């Protein structure tokens, strides 16, 4: 089949390669002309035969919305738009309604696999009507890992369900990464442990904590044992925040995911006003010394009040 693919970044470009390798024709568009097969969305649509499928791999929010609005004016009844980016699930219904008014289908697809998806395949979490999902199924089959369809593919439910599932997936990912990171730091802190990387590598086989994320941590440590070239400043894509917000909305306690999200916020502070306040309070009520980042005593110990 033919597919129009909008957005040829790291994931989009690899997806184009994997889909084409499965025998499908992919027409790609990207604002960077050196990556693009066409000069515009209009030219991309003109290159496709109906019923057309156009897959978006662009940043969530305004870039996705603007692309949907433009495609609504270019596509025809029976065509389908797939949003494969990390959009918030609440954006899906407005997009589906806009396209649906013109008879154009809409499918939201959470995609996991990162830069390794080209070789290993992608996990796909799909939301949308059965008929629309069926039109895209040859592409889903090309992208997912080999084997039975349930390997890496699920039609989760109606519009919005795919991105909701991907949001929760990424929230869990936050917690897993934080747990591995804290374990790594504790191993580093203990003089008895003389081979931190080797310890983590041993865990990758036969243990209950083995996972692909652990494999990737070991790989990073083998490349840079002290992680000296990596900053501790950690961003978040937004999905961890959305997951925590959904926990509040449903009154579901998300202790680990929330803590992992806030740990990322903490990584961005050159110094912590909150912890400075804690230090000052300890000094006030207990006379505990205040220290700077080098462990040197600063200020004066508070005297007891009469």
């Amino acid at each position: 089949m033919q597919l129009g693919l909008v957005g040829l970044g790291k994931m989009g470009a690899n997806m184009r390669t994997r889909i084409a390798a499965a025998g499908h024709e992919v027409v790609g568009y990207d604002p960077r002309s050196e990556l693009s097969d066409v000069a515009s969305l209009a030219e991309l649509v003109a290159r496709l035969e109906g019923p057309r499928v156009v897959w978006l791999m662009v940043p969530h929010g305004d870039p996705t919305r603007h692309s949907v609005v433009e495609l609504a004016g270019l596509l025809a009844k029976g065509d389908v738009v797939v949003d494969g980016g990390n959009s918030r699930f609440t954006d899906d219904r407005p997009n589906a309604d806009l396209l649906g008014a013109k008879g154009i289908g809409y499918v939201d697809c959470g995609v996991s696999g990162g830069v390794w998806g080209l070789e290993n395949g992608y996990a796909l979490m799909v939301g949308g009507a059965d008929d629309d999902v069926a039109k895209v199924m040859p592409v889903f089959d090309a992208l997912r890992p080999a084997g039975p369809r349930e390997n890496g593919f699920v039609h989760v439910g109606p519009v919005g369900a795919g991105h909701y599932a991907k949001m929760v997936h990424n929230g869990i990912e936050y917690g897993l990464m934080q747990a591995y990171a804290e374990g790594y730091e504790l191993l580093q802190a203990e003089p008895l442990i003389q081979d931190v990387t080797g310890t983590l590598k041993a865990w990758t086989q036969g243990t209950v904590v083995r996972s692909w994320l652990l494999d990737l941590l070991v790989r990073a440590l083998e490349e840079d044992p002290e992680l000296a070239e990596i900053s501790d400043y950690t961003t978040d894509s937004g999905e961890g925040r959305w997951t925590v917000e959904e926990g509040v909305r449903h009154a579901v306690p998300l202790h680990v995911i929330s803590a992992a999200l806030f740990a990322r916020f903490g990584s961005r502070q050159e110094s912590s006003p909150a912890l400075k306040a804690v230090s000052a309070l300890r000094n006030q009520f207990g006379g505990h010394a205040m220290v700077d980042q080098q462990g040197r005593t600063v200020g004066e110990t508070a005297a007891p009040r009469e």
Side-chain angles (χ1 to χ4, degrees):
M1 67 173 286
Q2 287 183 312
L3 177 73
L5 183 58
V6 181
L8 301 173
K10 291 179 180 178
M11 281 190 70
N14 283 346
M15 289 168 64
R16 173 170 65 174
T17 300
R18 187 173 175 90
I19 296 166
H24 303 294
E25 179 186 351
V26 182
V27 181
Y29 169 69
D30 193 277
R32 294 165 292 181
S33 59
E34 69 274 13
L35 302 175
S36 193
D37 300 319
V38 293
S40 65
L41 275 181
E43 186 180 346
L44 179 145
V45 170
R47 289 267 297 271
L48 302 176
E49 299 177 1
R52 293 163 290 201
V53 176
V54 178
W55 187 306
L56 301 177
M57 286 298 292
V58 299
H60 66 78
D62 287 343
T64 295
R65 182 63 175 177
H66 294 159
S67 297
V68 169
V69 169
E70 187 172 354
L71 286 170
L74 295 170
L75 296 173
K77 184 178 180 179
D79 295 341
V80 176
V81 172
V82 181
D83 178 10
N86 283 333
S87 293
R88 185 166 184 166
F89 76 98
T90 52
D91 292 343
D92 291 317
R93 176 45 58 190
N95 288 337
D97 289 345
L98 174 67
L99 294 166
K102 299 191 175 185
I104 303 165
Y106 178 85
V107 172
D108 59 287
C109 181
V111 181
S112 181
V115 297
W116 299 92
L118 173 60
E119 178 181 352
N120 300 333
Y122 300 87
L124 307 171
M125 296 143 270
V126 174
D130 290 345
D131 289 348
D132 294 330
V133 172
K135 291 176 183 177
V136 192
M137 192 57 71
V139 175
F140 294 145
D141 284 338
L143 288 171
R144 65 176 178 79
R149 183 166 286 166
E150 59 266 25
N151 283 6
F153 175 85
V154 58
H155 182 184
V156 189
V159 166
H163 280 145
Y164 197 100
K166 178 58 163 48
M167 174 193 71
V168 177
H169 165 281
N170 279 26
I172 293 170
E173 183 182 284
Y174 276 48
L176 290 172
M177 287 193 288
Q178 186 66 25
Y180 284 133
E182 291 176 6
Y184 158 74
E185 184 172 357
L186 185 57
L187 290 171
Q188 283 278 58
E190 174 50 58
L192 285 170
I193 304 298
Q194 298 180 358
D195 187 353
V196 173
T197 301
T199 301
L200 294 170
K201 191 169 186 176
W203 295 353
T204 64
Q205 301 294 325
T207 75
V208 296
V209 299
R210 65 189 185 275
S211 75
W212 185 40
L213 282 174
L214 183 58
D215 293 341
L216 294 177
L217 176 57
V218 170
R219 183 172 184 263
L221 289 168
E222 287 178 337
E223 294 173 353
D224 182 2
E226 302 298 325
L227 300 181
E229 300 302 316
I230 300 176
S231 167
D232 63 356
Y233 185 104
T234 307
T235 61
D236 67 284
S237 63
E239 291 185 301
R241 302 185 190 207
W242 305 339
T243 305
V244 171
E245 289 172 5
E246 284 300 292
V248 173
R249 188 168 75 91
H250 289 289
V252 174
L254 302 178
H255 305 293
V256 173
I257 295 172
S258 299
L261 174 65
F262 293 136
R264 294 196 182 192
F265 294 165
S267 78
R268 302 170 203 171
Q269 295 179 302
E270 291 185 7
S271 62
S272 170
L275 292 180
K276 286 185 178 182
V278 169
S279 181
L281 285 169
R282 292 181 76 248
N283 175 256
Q284 289 294 321
F285 71 68
H288 301 289
M290 296 180 290
V291 297
D292 63 16
Q293 292 183 342
Q294 285 72 45
R296 298 172 299 199
T297 301
V298 296
E300 296 180 0
T301 300
R305 294 192 178 184
E306 298 293 338

